[in-house]
Amino acid sequence: MAAEQGPKGVCFDCSKSEAYTPQVNLKAWRRKLQGSVKIFINKDPITLERLREAACYVFVAPQEHFAPEEFAAMREYAEEGGSLMFMLTEEGESRLGTNLNAFLEGYGIQVNSDAVVRTVYHKYLHPKEVYISHGVLNRGINSGAGKRVGKEAAAGALSASISEPGPNANLAFAYPYGSSLTGAKP
């Protein structure tokens, strides 16, 4: 993939035997994205140059270990302002056989080896398809979804969209077959 002039797109990594790829299990998502951004697929080793070719680099359930050089390239890409998106399955890295937690721990995040399960029936049939009715998300996601963000968000305080109930408040979303996260100050 040579760097091209023009807007950067979204790159899906397929170099770590990912369980989900744009060709197989992510077709609907790929079709939605194709209308607005350029889609890349990477099957080569991860390097800083390759990461810089995309505005957002997506890893969906990698099933192989990352090399220390790949972690270093990803770390530098993130420090330059690049966006990395990691998606794992229930039971986290232990089920997939990856070492992604070693990278995420540098940012205060750890994917636990468990599964999120709801205890009561609501909207979805399978107990591992969890409905989150008042999820607290990144303010940018709330804003992009058309939810109120409030003046306080610019000052760094909790926004009105997070603290006030109502139809224009928090997002409701499904969290299917996921694991819990542990967050700490990096």
Side-chain angles (χ1 to χ4, degrees):
M1 255 187 325
E4 299 176 11
Q5 297 293 70
K8 295 181 177 183
V10 175
C11 184
F12 288 88
D13 188 74
C14 295
S15 68
K16 301 293 179 197
S17 302
E18 275 73 5
Y20 303 92
T21 66
Q23 299 94 342
V24 180
N25 299 317
L26 302 174
K27 287 182 183 179
W29 191 26
R30 184 193 73 213
R31 281 194 295 267
K32 286 185 183 220
L33 285 175
Q34 277 180 326
S36 58
V37 297
K38 189 170 183 176
I39 304 291
F40 302 99
I41 296 173
N42 177 47
K43 294 182 180 180
D44 298 323
I46 300 162
T47 63
L48 183 58
E49 292 75 30
R50 187 151 320 274
L51 291 167
R52 286 178 177 155
E53 294 173 1
C56 181
Y57 208 87
V58 182
F59 299 88
V60 185
Q63 299 183 85
E64 294 178 8
H65 281 247
F66 290 84
E69 304 83 39
E70 292 174 318
F71 282 157
M74 290 165 33
R75 197 170 292 108
E76 187 172 342
Y77 175 70
E79 288 170 2
E80 291 176 356
S83 299
L84 298 168
M85 176 185 262
F86 301 101
M87 292 185 260
L88 300 178
T89 62
E90 58 187 304
E91 298 179 32
E93 71 174 13
S94 63
R95 180 176 185 178
L96 296 170
T98 185
N99 61 341
L100 193 55
N101 270 344
F103 176 75
L104 295 175
E105 285 173 356
Y107 298 95
I109 302 168
Q110 181 179 355
V111 180
N112 298 318
S113 297
D114 61 8
V116 176
V117 179
R118 66 176 155 73
T119 57
V120 295
Y121 171 79
H122 184 71
K123 290 199 178 211
Y124 300 100
L125 295 176
H126 199 282
K128 290 185 179 178
E129 294 174 344
V130 180
Y131 176 74
I132 310 292
S133 60
H134 296 290
V136 176
L137 297 174
N138 180 301
R139 283 186 279 275
I141 295 173
N142 276 353
S143 177
K147 303 297 181 181
R148 267 186 302 130
V149 176
K151 295 177 185 174
E152 306 87 38
L158 283 180
S159 69
S161 65
I162 293 174
S163 59
E164 294 177 6
N168 292 326
N170 299 324
L171 288 175
F173 56 94
Y175 185 61
Y177 306 95
S179 57
S180 63
L181 301 174
T182 300
K185 191 171 185 174

